[in-house]
Amino acid sequence: MTFFYWFMALAMAATLVPSALYMGIYVFTGADEALDRARKLWNFLRVFTLLGFNLTLWGHVVVAAWQLFR
C-alpha cells in the first residue's frame, strides 16, 4: 500500500505543478493556450485525486471483508 500512496502522490504532484505554472503564465501573459492547458491539467488532477481516494477506500473495505470472512 505504501507504494500506491507514493505513486498517487507523485501523479497528483505531476499534474498540480504544471497546472499552477500554466496558470501563472496565463496570469502574466494572457495567453489563452496556457489557460486551456491549466484547465486540462487541473481536470486530470481531480481525476487522479478521486481515483486515489476511491481505490484507497475500497481497498480498505476489501481487506476488511477478507479478514472478516477468513
Side-chain angles (χ1 to χ4, degrees):
M1 255 343 241
T2 304
F3 172 76
F4 173 73
Y5 295 143
W6 280 105
F7 178 73
M8 289 310 296
L10 181 67
M12 285 185 264
T15 54
L16 175 65
V17 172
S19 176
L21 289 175
Y22 278 117
M23 184 56 74
I25 291 171
Y26 171 71
V27 167
F28 289 114
T29 64
D32 290 332
E33 296 85 11
L35 180 62
D36 290 338
R37 287 184 183 175
R39 284 182 181 162
K40 288 177 186 176
L41 288 168
W42 182 256
N43 287 335
F44 279 123
L45 174 64
R46 291 190 320 196
V47 168
F48 288 142
T49 303
L50 291 172
L51 175 70
F53 176 76
N54 282 332
L55 288 177
T56 300
L57 180 74
W58 286 107
H60 284 98
V61 169
V62 168
V63 168
W66 177 264
Q67 290 180 354
L68 184 66
F69 295 123
R70 191 171 63 142

